Amino acid sequence: MSTSLLRTSTGRAALLAARSLAQPSRLASLSFTRGKATLPDLPYDYSALEPAISGHIMELHHSKHHQTYVTSYNAAAEQLAAAEAKSDIAGAIALQPLLTFHGGGHLNHSLFWENLAPAAQGGGEPPKGALGEKIQETYGGVEKLQGVMEKALAGVQGSGWAWLVRDNVTGGIGVRTYAVSKERGVGRGGGWC
């Protein structure tokens, strides 16, 4: 099934679309520079999501936790380049789990930051419009969707994520879990607008 991540509001989607016009491949441009992963700048201050998320927690999560994924991915990528230069196939293969884990953590966090928004930019409210209607139709409301996500995440061992995605073929929505150490992506295609 081909899926895509859902945006939380039409306003937020429009804000992201406007940014993407200025930066053709927004996620790639913020996440990787000259082959190295980089910590993306947040489009809001650390304290902008208070009281829902404390500024201190946001700062730690972004500048320390996410930065660790970036630093570790870059270190593993350098080790991979060295192994390939020496034709060390076994060494290159042994590095794949590190690249997947840290690269997946970096990409998931980049998408996470992109899907948060201060109240002034459409955040903090239940989804409205087509997305809100689809959630109501499929799950019976946001609270029930949250229960489905919590149950799905309980089945993920270790580090992982749950995303609300749209099936690009049927247009239906569903919850998908991704264990960072095992999965390589979070779906393909355009987001929900």
Side-chain angles (χ1 to χ4, degrees):
M1 169 187 354
S2 176
T3 60
S4 57
L5 292 172
L6 300 176
R7 299 289 183 226
T8 57
S9 73
T10 304
R12 182 74 176 137
L15 179 67
L16 291 171
R19 272 195 234 132
S20 69
L21 292 176
Q23 299 175 349
S25 181
R26 187 179 185 298
L27 182 59
S29 68
L30 289 176
S31 300
F32 296 91
T33 304
R34 295 186 189 106
K36 285 200 166 219
T38 58
L39 185 68
D41 293 327
L42 298 183
Y44 42 80
D45 292 331
Y46 290 134
S47 62
L49 303 177
E50 290 182 341
I53 304 174
S54 89
H56 180 68
I57 294 299
M58 284 292 293
E59 183 176 7
L60 287 173
H61 195 175
H62 179 256
S63 69
K64 303 292 186 211
H65 179 71
H66 186 171
Q67 181 63 57
T68 298
Y69 280 118
V70 170
T71 302
S72 299
Y73 174 83
N74 287 333
E78 288 174 14
Q79 292 171 11
L80 176 64
E84 288 173 343
K86 295 186 288 185
S87 297
D88 179 5
I89 296 170
I93 291 170
L95 289 165
Q96 292 306 309
L98 286 175
L99 291 165
T100 299
F101 179 78
H102 295 296
H106 170 50
L107 289 174
N108 279 324
H109 277 85
S110 296
L111 288 168
F112 175 69
W113 306 128
E114 200 178 291
N115 280 281
L116 296 176
Q121 295 177 358
E125 295 293 325
K128 295 175 180 62
L131 177 56
E133 291 170 12
K134 200 66 154 173
I135 290 171
Q136 184 65 38
E137 173 187 312
T138 306
Y139 296 101
V142 173
E143 294 79 18
K144 290 183 180 175
L145 168 61
Q146 288 171 332
V148 169
M149 289 190 123
E150 289 170 6
K151 184 177 178 183
L153 279 169
V156 175
Q157 293 184 344
S159 183
W161 296 76
W163 294 103
L164 180 62
V165 298
R166 178 177 59 111
D167 185 307
N168 290 334
V169 175
T170 68
I173 61 173
V175 173
R176 299 291 178 264
T177 57
Y178 297 91
V180 174
S181 62
K182 296 178 184 173
E183 300 295 327
R184 295 182 184 259
V186 293
R188 292 187 285 178
W192 182 280
C193 294

